Each structure stands twice: as C-alpha cells, then as structure tokens.
Amino acid sequence: MKLAISAESTLDLSKELLKEFDIHVIPYTFTLGEKEYTDGDITNEEMFELVETNDELPKTSAINKETYKAFYKSVLDKGYDGLIHFALSSGITSSCANAVEAGKEVENVRVVDSKSLSTGIALECINARLMANEGLSLDEVYEKSVKLADNVQASFVLHTIKYLYKGGRCSLLSMIAANALNIRPQILVQDGKMYPGDKYFGNYNRCVKKYTESTLKKFNNPDKRLAFVTYSSADEEMVRICKEALTEAGFERILETKAGSTIASHCGEKCIGILYVNNPE
C-alpha cells in the first residue's frame, strides 16, 4: 500500500527535507498591512521589518474545508492508496477542525491532530513515513501516529516577548519588566497548547544554553534517532549551543531548520528551540 503523508506549511521543513521524506504541503497564507503572503514569499527578516513598520502582527486565516478537500484529492491523484494528514494543533487553530471534516468526505484519508507546531509536526510526519515504508497499513500508521502526538517535546526560548505583547498574550507591564530584567521565557507546547515554562535571565546565548540543559533534563527519555534545532532567526553561536547539547545527549541525526513566516510571526526574532520525540513506544 502506497501511503502519502502531508501537513500544512507550518511543519517548517525545507524543500530538500520535504523531498527526502516524501511529505506533501498545503500552504498557509497571512496578511501583513494590506498585502497577502504565502509562507515562503518573504523572509522572516523582511517580515520582522514590516511588523516594525506597520506596528502590527501578520494576520493568519484558517484553511477552509473545501481547500483541504481539493488538496487531499490532488495528492491521492498522484497514485497513492491513502493519505495521512498532520494538522497544526487544534489548540492553536480552527484549521485542524476543518482538516478533520474534509478528511471525512474523501475516501482513504485520515487526519491526525498533531497537538504540536513547527518541526514538532515534522517529527510526526517523518515517523509516519518510516512506518509507511515498513509496510504498515493506513489505519495502523494513523493509530500509532495519534499516540505519538502526545510524546513530542516541542519547546522554544524567546529572545523577546514583544511579539507576545503585540499578539495580546502578555501585558505591557510584563513586557517592560521582561526587558528591564533581561528575562527570556521558555514556551512549551503541551496538550496542543502553548504554555510558559522556565524563565532565564541575562545574556541570551547563556540563556539558550540553560534552556537546552533544562529541557533535556526534564524530557529525558528521547528517541535519539532524530532531533531538530529550529529558529525564527539565529546567529551561529545560538545554533552551535543547541547542536552541541543534542550531540552530547546522543542524538544520531540533528537537523537545523528555519521556521516559516507563520510560526515566526508569533515568536519574533531569535526564537530558537530543540524538538524531539520523548517517551517513544
């Protein structure tokens, strides 16, 4: 049985990695100012500059059911016997519900609520691809993928909470205090929603190091086959710190990826995270 794997562009994989793992993508669009963009139309740096100029965040719209249906059919028409789609967490967007409803109306489609974002979704897609390559059936891959969604460690450390403030997720007072005290908060994705985690203080690179150490200590039963270092923007030292920590933890393959504009618009510049499967079966 030839199975297709798909996700929205918010899985944040490069074209090369999408090709390597044979993953199909439906793009998100967002509006900034008076112009509409698709993920990848502009760089994150260009988007950050436009946010400063317009003093407003991009606005994303949920993908509707009919768009999902057309996408599923277009993938299946390429010769696949079934499709498993991994949707951006239902705790983050209503797109997930639309994806699920569309899947009910197209034969041999299964939709997984990823309960994650960015390369947390990519980890689920890649695991599904490996299972499909081993010959598991559509329903077997789907059932195992649903369970796996609860075991993805997805977290980030923020360089600034300015974007949280602009998005209405924290108060002006909190932003002023964070800037004054150089507070760098951790964001955890758990049960499909984003929550504040630990707080780190001072020089950002030292905060990144503390973040990797505390995350690996807390989520300490990883599937060491694969981990991601994903960022909205980064300097070489930030990336080196994350890769070094994952290497020392024994991960066999560490992939570096840059988040797309949809994800980056919620976390701001220099947000970076390590992502991996924890407590695998």
Side-chain angles (χ1 to χ4, degrees):
M1 190 175 195
K2 186 180 178 183
L3 298 182
I5 309 297
S6 68
E8 292 94 20
S9 55
T10 46
L11 86 168
D12 291 340
L13 288 186
S14 66
K15 292 180 181 179
E16 292 77 15
L17 290 173
L18 291 172
K19 182 178 180 181
E20 177 182 346
F21 295 110
D22 190 17
I23 299 170
H24 302 264
V25 169
I26 180 171
Y28 256 95
T29 59
F30 61 93
T31 303
L32 186 52
E34 297 183 356
K35 190 172 181 179
E36 185 175 80
Y37 300 88
T38 298
D39 257 349
D41 283 350
I42 59 174
T43 67
N44 289 348
E45 289 73 17
E46 290 171 331
M47 181 196 67
F48 295 144
E49 186 175 341
L50 286 171
V51 168
E52 292 300 316
T53 300
N54 295 312
D55 195 29
E56 64 177 355
L57 293 181
K59 296 179 177 64
T60 56
S61 300
I63 301 172
N64 63 53
K65 186 176 78 170
E66 293 306 314
T67 300
Y68 276 115
K69 285 174 62 177
F71 171 72
Y72 297 158
K73 291 175 182 178
S74 71
V75 174
L76 290 170
D77 285 345
K78 295 176 182 177
Y80 293 97
D81 302 306
L83 166 66
I84 300 177
H85 179 78
F86 291 83
L88 179 62
S89 175
S90 61
I92 295 173
T93 176
S94 60
S95 287
C96 183
N98 295 337
V100 171
E101 288 305 308
K104 294 176 182 177
E105 298 181 17
V106 182
E107 190 175 2
N108 294 326
V109 171
R110 305 289 184 272
V111 179
V112 177
D113 178 355
S114 71
K115 299 182 181 179
S116 195
L117 50 71
S118 190
T119 46
I121 303 172
L123 285 162
E124 298 179 38
C125 289
I126 291 169
N127 272 273
R129 169 51 59 209
L130 295 175
M131 289 188 282
N133 290 349
E134 290 172 0
L136 274 68
S137 70
L138 175 65
D139 285 327
E140 286 173 329
V141 176
Y142 169 73
E143 289 166 6
K144 289 179 178 292
S145 295
V146 169
K147 293 179 181 178
L148 182 70
D150 291 319
N151 295 325
V152 173
Q153 186 290 123
S155 64
F156 302 86
V157 61
L158 300 181
H159 180 262
T160 175
I161 67 168
K162 177 173 60 179
Y163 280 64
L164 294 182
Y165 168 67
K166 285 181 178 290
R169 295 183 180 89
C170 76
S171 67
L172 177 60
L173 184 61
S174 296
M175 184 180 72
I176 292 171
N179 290 339
L181 298 172
N182 277 338
I183 298 173
R184 322 290 191 174
Q186 178 192 42
I187 300 297
L188 294 169
V189 182
Q190 294 183 330
D191 300 320
K193 297 182 180 180
M194 293 185 287
Y195 296 96
D198 294 334
K199 292 183 176 67
Y200 312 100
F201 299 84
N203 175 273
Y204 190 54
N205 284 343
R206 286 200 296 271
C207 290
V208 171
K209 183 173 176 60
K210 290 177 183 176
Y211 154 73
T212 59
E213 291 170 348
S214 63
T215 300
L216 287 164
K217 183 177 180 180
K218 183 176 182 179
F219 301 97
N220 59 4
N221 186 31
D223 179 347
K224 294 184 179 180
R225 291 178 296 173
L226 177 64
F228 281 97
V229 175
T230 301
Y231 50 82
S232 59
S233 62
D235 57 43
E236 291 183 3
E237 181 63 10
M238 291 165 54
V239 177
R240 185 197 65 78
I241 290 168
C242 291
K243 284 186 172 181
E244 187 175 272
L246 292 169
T247 299
E248 290 177 355
F251 283 90
E252 298 167 15
R253 188 177 184 188
I254 301 165
L255 293 174
E256 175 185 339
T257 68
K258 189 172 185 178
S261 299
T262 300
I263 296 297
S265 70
H266 294 287
C267 60
E269 63 268 24
K270 289 192 174 182
C271 169
I272 193 167
I274 56 175
L275 302 93
Y276 52 88
V277 174
N278 195 57
N279 292 325
E281 289 187 1

